[in-house]
Amino acid sequence: MPIDTGVWSPSEKERLCALYAYHILDTPVEKSFDNLAKLATQIFNIPIALISLLDKERQWVKSSIGVAIKEFPRKQSFCEYTIQGDTVFEICDTLEDSRFTDYPVVVSEPYIRYYAGAPLIDDQGFVLGTLCLFDLVPRQFTDSQKEILKGIAQEVVVHLVLKKKDQQLRSSVTRSQELLDITGISPEIHCILDYRGKVLFINEAVTRLLGYTVPQAMELGLLDVCYPEDIPRVMKSIADGLENNYKELQIDFRVLGRDHIIRWISWSLVSKNRRWYTYGRDITDNKKVESELMKLSFVASKVNNAVVINDANNQVTWVNAAFEKITGFSLEDVKGKRLGDLIIGPNTDLELIDEVRRLTKQRQSFTIDMLAYRKDKKEIWLSVYNTVVLDDSGNVEIEVEIIIDITDKKRAEEELQVLSMVASKTNTGVNIQDNEGITTWVNQSLEKLTGYKKEELYGHHLGNILSPNFHDQELIATSRDKSKNNQSYTIEVLAEKKNGSTVWLSVSNTPIINSKGKVERQIDLISDITQRKQIEKEMIEAKEQALKLSEAKEMFLSVMSHEIRTPLNAVIGMTHLLLDNDPKISQIDDLNILKFSGENLLHIINDILDFTKMETGKMELEVFPFNLKTLANDIINSLQVNVKKKGNQLNLVFDPSIPSLISGDKNRLYQILMNFLGNAIKFTENGQVQLILTLAGQNEKQSIIRFEITDNGIGIPKDKQSYIFETFTQAKTDISRKYGGTGLGLAITKKLLQMFNSDIIVDSTEGEGTTFSFEIAFSKTAEISASTGNSTEMSVFIGKRILVVDDNEINILIAKRILSKWGLEIEAAVNGYEAIEKIMTESFDLIFMDIKMPGIDGFETTGIVRDISGAYYKQVPIIALTASTLKNDHYKFNECGMNGHVLKPFNPEEIKKLLFGFLSREKE
């Protein structure tokens, strides 16, 4: 190691190698070395002496006198300079030499002032270390003293050399003993023969293999145990080897043991110093295997898959007929050659060939799929299953290869690979299964969707992993049966991700059918429909909630309808009675106005109650013939009282070309016109309001009527005209306070006109007035001839008995007065129990049945009557008297056995027509 650089020179590396060969570093203290160090201190009368060896980075002390130290860095060593030469290196005064003035041992304990060192040089000329002396005062050796120091150093080297040789001798003895031990326990025969074949040494394996003791074997020669039939072959092999000066021979022959059992022994003979060093290995089992392989080769010659047998050098020794059929190569083409060299081509993976050959050299079997070439250079895909057969030494003895033509399979896989590449890019999960539904491939989207890695899904039914805890197993099983029967399917299942969270999956399965019509594989396209399912669930819940709210609303409206219609029935009913009882001429107009207003109030109540139906789309228009001019005049006359209060004039302008009878929903039209005219009157003072009806167009089936409602009232601001039809909205905030109203009328009117497939047009100027206009198409109706006398109708009613069931005495009173005028005999019952009792004890031609009554209602009462045995109870007409507008009630009428219904408050003419219809049938 040069002193002024830190770079190791080649000579320094060699020096270190020589030092390490002595195996002296880090060894315990030895007295012989300590005696030499002590001798040096005594001869030179010096306090400190060291025998040290210089390692790569340290100075290691083998022996020390006068100081306790084992090692220190070479950079702080005086000896570093000593090993640079072959003479004694001396420093008379360390404080006078600038190289050492800052050394720790100089400036601190033990304060070294003098150094003398002799190199330890072995017989190869390598400096191993130093014998060095230290003093605490300056001094100087004479030349004779230096020679003495060198002599002691040479003695140290002698000790080192002797120690090294002693170690080598011990190692040699140990190795020899180990070799003897190995041969003693080795299962193979180890022996030494002289040039004539006499046994000089043999191990105890001969006893186990051949049954001879070692002394007995020592008396035998190699040929003495050779099976007679093999002696000529063995002699020839030995003679050929000697003639050609072979140093090594390999001979396999049979040996006859002392127990007369024949064994195959593989012998390896090495010639050295006119002796044969012989190793014998029992290969009896291998020979049996070879025999079995011969039998196997016979079987292999009959199978469809190619079979190839190679020797230890990877050269072909045998192929079957199927090999020639698959590759085109015969045994003569490939025997003694490496198969891989014959079947490769331009597109063959040569690195794969090199890799399998490397595996064979490492005595490893392998399985590969490779692109090969037939003898005619046609590409072919082969699957090669290689099995390496080892001898007793663990070396390759033969290779057996099973080769399968997988060209068709590879083409299918390439097609599948294209599909998988497309599938891997889609966001839809793809699961490819075999014909039993076992997963063989999934794309990344399915891994991401389920949280499972593909390795966790391969080899399993996907449904067993994703739906282990749900009730969809029956659906999954049914679906699997469909796929086995060549049927595709699409199902939606609730699955479970790897993290335990649930996910709704849509699975579309398509079976792939082979040429034989059997399922070869199946492809699932799997999508996450959790969000859709959640939306569906929310929609169902919202729908159910809406239905509940709608039912509650309808029930409330039904109750309100019943409560309002009941007193209104009395008002309208009494009005009809007063008109029929020959009123004074001065009272007729008033009663007609009262009748018309009562009926109008009924229509308004009906419209308000039906507003819910419009919101839910359940309202339907009724189509009946009516006289439009009569309706318009009735509306104008009924509003005259309010018109006069505001100092207004209300006029009707009616186009005479309008047909006298048209078909449509008179009640809804009435409500529309009343709303428009009511608003016009409300927002006009001392002005004029007009209802203008004109024929806008007609064809064979329809007449289109244009309606205009004009006024010169307060008008509507332009920026407010767009939302006056919204519910509970008015043009200005002070209108409700000043004029009243809820802001619901125009909203209802707009919805009603939409049912007529009509739109409202608004033309208004603030402070000048407003015009609302719209057009409605009505169906044309033929003129109805006048009724042919009432006397015929009335004769049907004479003597007929009618039972009226109602818990309201006023309703019963009105019904009795109206019906008794027509010659009908009337009985009454105030509840269901009384009605049943009268029905069972008396006979009636028709029964009017109220629906809402205390105790049992009309539905229950009718059901009980219909359940009584007897034709009378099954056939007697029962007509419902109801104030309910619920559509569900209409279904109940039929379910419980009712024959019809009349809505309260009832119109006498409608009752008369209904009675005539039922009672005239009885007469027939």
Side-chain angles (χ1 to χ4, degrees):
M1 178 180 183
I3 297 170
D4 55 353
T5 72
V7 181
W8 296 100
S9 65
S11 60
E12 171 63 13
K13 294 179 181 178
E14 293 173 357
R15 186 193 73 79
L16 288 172
C17 289
L19 172 62
Y20 296 153
Y22 283 86
H23 300 287
I24 189 68
L25 294 174
D26 299 312
T27 58
V29 174
E30 297 182 47
K31 191 172 183 181
S32 59
F33 288 100
D34 286 347
N35 289 338
L36 290 173
K38 183 180 287 186
L39 177 63
T41 60
Q42 292 173 350
I43 292 174
F44 297 104
N45 191 25
I46 200 162
I48 301 173
L50 301 178
I51 298 175
S52 61
L53 302 163
L54 272 70
D55 197 0
K56 185 177 180 180
E57 301 289 345
R58 61 173 178 161
Q59 179 174 338
W60 181 77
V61 178
K62 175 62 178 176
S63 179
S64 61
I65 303 297
V67 64
I69 188 170
K70 290 305 294 180
E71 63 178 56
F72 49 88
R74 279 181 62 173
K75 292 182 180 180
Q76 300 175 4
S77 170
F78 297 102
C79 299
E80 185 66 40
Y81 292 87
T82 304
I83 67 172
Q84 303 303 317
D86 56 0
T87 61
V88 173
F89 178 71
E90 183 181 33
I91 305 170
C92 298
D93 189 347
T94 58
L95 295 179
E96 297 298 328
D97 192 326
S98 61
R99 292 175 295 176
F100 310 109
T101 54
D102 59 349
Y103 270 29
V105 295
V106 174
V107 298
S108 60
E109 291 287 345
Y111 299 105
I112 300 298
R113 293 292 297 277
Y114 175 78
Y115 169 84
L120 302 178
I121 304 174
D122 69 0
D123 54 359
Q124 299 297 319
F126 291 108
V127 181
L128 305 178
T130 64
L131 169 62
C132 50
L133 305 175
F134 298 90
D135 204 343
L136 305 181
V137 296
R139 60 187 297 179
Q140 186 174 7
F141 281 178
T142 64
D143 290 341
S144 61
Q145 288 177 314
K146 293 180 180 179
E147 287 298 322
I148 294 171
L149 181 60
K150 286 181 64 177
I152 299 173
Q154 291 173 358
E155 188 65 25
V156 172
V157 172
V158 170
H159 278 64
L160 288 173
V161 172
L162 289 174
K163 182 177 179 63
K164 178 181 179 182
K165 290 181 177 179
D166 181 62
Q167 290 175 343
Q168 290 174 343
L169 180 59
R170 291 176 183 274
S171 297
S172 178
V173 171
T174 300
R175 284 196 298 272
S176 298
Q177 185 60 47
E178 289 174 349
L179 182 59
L180 288 173
D181 292 341
I182 290 173
T183 58
I185 64 175
S186 173
E188 287 82 23
I189 297 174
H190 298 269
C191 61
I192 301 174
L193 309 175
D194 64 13
Y195 200 70
R196 294 171 298 176
K198 180 176 176 56
V199 178
L200 302 178
F201 166 83
I202 193 165
N203 66 342
E204 295 180 357
V206 69
T207 304
R208 183 180 62 81
L209 291 178
L210 303 179
Y212 295 102
T213 65
V214 172
Q216 289 172 336
M218 294 285 286
E219 300 297 326
L220 299 173
L222 188 62
L223 296 180
D224 293 335
V225 294
C226 182
Y227 190 68
E229 293 181 6
D230 293 345
I231 289 177
R233 180 172 57 84
V234 173
M235 291 297 295
K236 184 179 185 303
S237 297
I238 294 175
D240 290 343
L242 293 173
E243 183 180 346
N244 293 299
N245 294 319
Y246 291 155
K247 296 296 183 181
E248 297 184 13
L249 292 177
Q250 182 75 36
I251 309 172
D252 296 346
F253 60 84
R254 287 171 287 181
V255 173
L256 189 61
R258 189 179 181 187
D259 54 5
H260 301 290
I261 295 176
I262 299 174
R263 292 177 176 82
W264 275 92
I265 304 293
S266 177
W267 298 94
S268 297
L269 296 86
V270 178
S271 177
K272 185 176 182 182
N273 299 328
R274 297 182 62 80
R275 291 187 177 185
W276 292 100
Y277 293 88
T278 307
Y279 164 77
R281 178 170 61 90
D282 186 355
I283 60 169
T284 305
D285 292 339
N286 289 4
K287 286 296 182 179
K288 290 180 180 178
V289 171
E290 287 181 6
S291 176
E292 292 174 357
L293 284 175
M294 291 299 293
K295 297 176 183 177
L296 177 63
S297 68
F298 174 77
V299 176
S301 65
K302 306 300 181 181
V303 298
N304 294 327
N305 297 329
V307 180
V308 180
I309 298 178
N310 302 325
D311 60 18
N313 297 318
N314 194 231
Q315 294 177 344
V316 177
T317 60
W318 183 87
V319 299
N320 67 345
F323 175 82
E324 182 174 359
K325 182 178 180 181
I326 292 174
T327 65
F329 290 101
S330 65
L331 177 60
E332 290 72 22
D333 295 329
V334 298
K335 190 170 185 178
K337 301 174 183 177
R338 296 197 301 181
L339 181 61
D341 296 336
L342 298 175
I343 61 175
I344 61 174
N347 296 323
T348 301
D349 187 347
L350 300 181
E351 292 183 359
L352 180 61
I353 301 295
D354 293 339
E355 174 65 17
V356 298
R357 286 175 176 170
R358 183 186 64 79
L359 291 173
T360 301
K361 289 180 180 179
Q362 295 178 354
R363 303 182 292 278
Q364 297 183 34
S365 301
F366 61 83
T367 300
I368 60 167
D369 292 346
M370 63 173 290
L371 178 63
Y373 288 80
R374 289 172 43 88
K375 187 177 180 179
D376 58 8
K377 303 306 178 183
K378 181 180 178 181
E379 287 187 352
I380 184 173
W381 274 97
L382 301 177
S383 184
V384 181
Y385 297 82
N386 174 283
T387 301
V388 175
V389 180
L390 304 178
D391 58 22
D392 291 342
S393 299
N395 297 317
V396 176
E397 188 167 323
I398 62 170
E399 299 176 57
V400 179
E401 293 180 334
I402 308 297
I403 301 177
I404 304 173
D405 182 357
I406 59 170
T407 305
D408 293 339
K409 176 185 174 184
K410 273 294 180 181
R411 287 172 182 167
E413 287 179 353
E414 288 173 358
E415 294 175 359
L416 187 60
Q417 187 175 9
V418 173
L419 174 63
S420 67
M421 182 181 68
V422 174
S424 64
K425 304 299 182 183
T426 182
N427 291 328
T428 301
V430 179
N431 173 41
I432 299 179
Q433 313 158 60
D434 62 16
N435 60 337
E436 295 296 328
I438 302 298
T439 296
T440 59
W441 184 88
V442 300
N443 66 347
Q444 292 180 353
S445 296
L446 187 61
E447 290 183 281
K448 184 178 179 181
L449 178 60
T450 64
Y452 286 96
K453 295 295 184 182
K454 57 185 179 182
E455 293 78 13
E456 298 175 282
L457 299 176
Y458 288 172
H460 299 280
H461 285 284
L462 187 63
N464 294 348
I465 295 177
L466 299 184
S467 296
N469 301 317
F470 296 98
H471 300 293
D472 293 332
Q473 291 298 324
E474 184 176 348
L475 174 62
I476 294 172
T478 303
S479 302
R480 288 174 181 168
D481 291 339
K482 284 186 177 180
S483 64
K484 289 180 180 179
N485 293 324
N486 303 354
Q487 299 178 27
S488 60
Y489 63 83
T490 299
I491 60 173
E492 295 179 356
V493 294
L494 183 61
E496 186 175 304
K497 293 184 178 182
K498 185 177 181 181
N499 61 10
S501 61
T502 56
V503 58
W504 273 98
L505 300 177
S506 174
V507 182
S508 296
N509 174 281
T510 301
I512 306 300
I513 312 302
N514 61 20
S515 58
K516 297 180 180 180
K518 301 294 184 181
V519 176
E520 186 171 284
R521 63 174 62 90
Q522 304 171 45
I523 299 176
D524 288 337
L525 300 181
I526 303 174
S527 303
D528 183 353
I529 58 170
T530 305
Q531 187 175 6
R532 194 197 84 193
K533 282 290 185 179
Q534 182 62 32
I535 293 173
E536 289 177 357
K537 179 182 177 183
E538 293 173 356
M539 289 177 65
I540 291 173
E541 291 176 351
K543 182 178 179 181
E544 290 177 351
Q545 184 66 23
L547 287 174
K548 290 179 180 178
L549 291 174
S550 177
E551 290 172 359
K553 184 186 293 185
E554 287 195 25
M555 183 58 65
F556 169 76
L557 293 174
S558 176
V559 173
M560 291 303 298
S561 172
H562 182 270
E563 296 300 324
I564 294 174
R565 289 172 185 271
T566 297
L568 191 58
N569 182 50
V571 172
I572 296 176
M574 293 305 295
T575 304
H576 282 289
L577 289 174
L578 290 173
L579 284 171
D580 289 342
N581 286 337
D582 297 326
K584 297 178 180 179
I585 295 176
S586 60
Q587 294 175 333
I588 291 175
D589 290 339
D590 295 337
L591 289 173
N592 281 328
I593 292 174
L594 177 61
K595 172 178 170 289
F596 183 77
S597 297
E599 291 174 346
N600 288 344
L601 177 59
L602 175 62
H603 294 322
I604 293 172
I605 291 171
N606 288 340
D607 291 337
I608 294 175
L609 294 176
D610 286 341
F611 182 65
T612 301
K613 293 183 180 179
M614 288 189 286
E615 288 183 325
T616 58
K618 293 182 179 180
M619 176 176 284
E620 297 178 359
L621 295 178
E622 296 178 351
V623 180
F624 292 103
F626 70 96
N627 188 302
L628 181 58
K629 185 172 184 180
T630 300
L631 175 64
N633 282 321
D634 288 344
I635 291 173
I636 294 297
N637 293 333
S638 67
L639 292 173
Q640 290 299 332
V641 174
N642 289 338
V643 170
K644 293 177 181 178
K645 288 181 180 179
K646 304 282 286 188
N648 295 319
Q649 291 183 356
L650 175 60
N651 299 319
L652 170 64
V653 180
F654 192 87
D655 186 347
S657 61
I658 296 175
S660 58
L661 284 179
I662 55 176
S663 290
D665 196 321
K666 170 185 174 184
N667 295 333
R668 304 306 172 195
L669 179 60
Y670 164 82
Q671 184 176 352
I672 292 170
L673 295 176
M674 286 295 291
N675 276 331
F676 279 129
L677 289 170
N679 283 341
I681 295 168
K682 183 194 299 184
F683 299 118
T684 303
E685 292 186 7
N686 301 317
Q688 186 174 12
V689 178
Q690 282 188 317
L691 171 60
I692 304 172
L693 281 71
T694 56
L695 182 63
Q698 64 179 337
N699 53 36
E700 293 180 359
K701 296 182 178 180
Q702 291 183 325
S703 296
I704 301 174
I705 312 300
R706 177 178 178 82
F707 298 82
E708 292 185 17
I709 298 91
T710 66
D711 67 67
N712 55 2
I714 62 175
I716 304 169
K718 294 291 184 183
D719 60 339
K720 307 297 183 181
Q721 293 177 12
S722 61
Y723 65 89
I724 58 174
F725 297 101
E726 296 179 9
T727 55
F728 306 108
T729 302
Q730 294 184 330
K732 293 183 179 180
T733 57
D734 62 343
I735 286 180
S736 179
R737 173 178 52 81
K738 185 175 181 180
Y739 296 97
T742 62
L744 187 63
L746 288 179
I748 296 175
T749 301
K750 183 177 181 181
K751 288 181 179 293
L752 289 173
L753 280 172
Q754 288 173 347
M755 296 178 68
F756 281 102
N757 297 317
S758 179
D759 292 323
I760 304 172
I761 299 174
V762 182
D763 182 12
S764 180
T765 302
E766 189 174 8
E768 296 183 6
T770 303
T771 297
F772 289 97
S773 61
F774 55 89
E775 294 181 354
I776 298 178
F778 294 99
S779 299
K780 289 185 176 180
T781 302
E783 295 290 335
I784 301 175
S785 59
S787 177
T788 60
N790 292 331
S791 58
T792 303
E793 292 182 5
M794 291 302 191
S795 64
V796 175
F797 299 157
I798 303 301
K800 300 295 183 182
R801 301 189 77 245
I802 306 296
L803 176 63
V804 178
V805 184
D806 199 314
D807 63 326
N808 189 291
E809 294 181 358
I810 296 177
N811 289 341
I812 292 176
L813 174 62
I814 294 172
K816 282 185 175 182
R817 289 194 179 182
I818 293 176
L819 298 177
S820 59
K821 283 189 174 184
W822 301 336
L824 295 167
E825 297 179 11
I826 309 300
E827 286 289 335
V830 296
N831 56 55
Y833 298 110
E834 185 179 348
I836 293 171
E837 183 180 350
K838 286 195 174 187
I839 292 171
M840 293 182 69
T841 57
E842 301 179 40
S843 178
F844 297 99
D845 297 289
L846 186 140
I847 302 168
F848 284 111
M849 182 73 69
D850 189 18
I851 297 300
K852 293 187 180 297
M853 296 184 295
I856 55 175
D857 61 20
F859 295 126
E860 293 177 277
T861 303
T862 303
I864 292 172
V865 171
R866 295 307 189 196
D867 289 338
I868 300 173
S869 60
Y872 163 70
Y873 303 105
K874 309 291 185 185
Q875 297 173 3
V876 60
I878 301 178
I879 308 300
L881 289 175
T882 178
S884 172
T885 60
L886 289 179
K887 184 173 288 188
N888 187 46
D889 284 351
H890 297 177
Y891 299 131
K892 289 183 179 180
F893 296 148
N894 295 327
E895 288 179 0
C896 69
M898 290 183 173
N899 302 94
H901 71 279
V902 175
L903 192 64
K904 295 179 183 179
F906 50 78
N907 186 299
E909 291 302 320
E910 293 177 3
I911 293 290
K912 184 184 291 185
K913 290 178 182 179
L914 184 144
L915 287 171
F916 181 79
F918 281 101
L919 298 180
S920 61
R921 295 174 196 168
E922 294 181 9
K923 187 173 181 180
E924 293 173 1

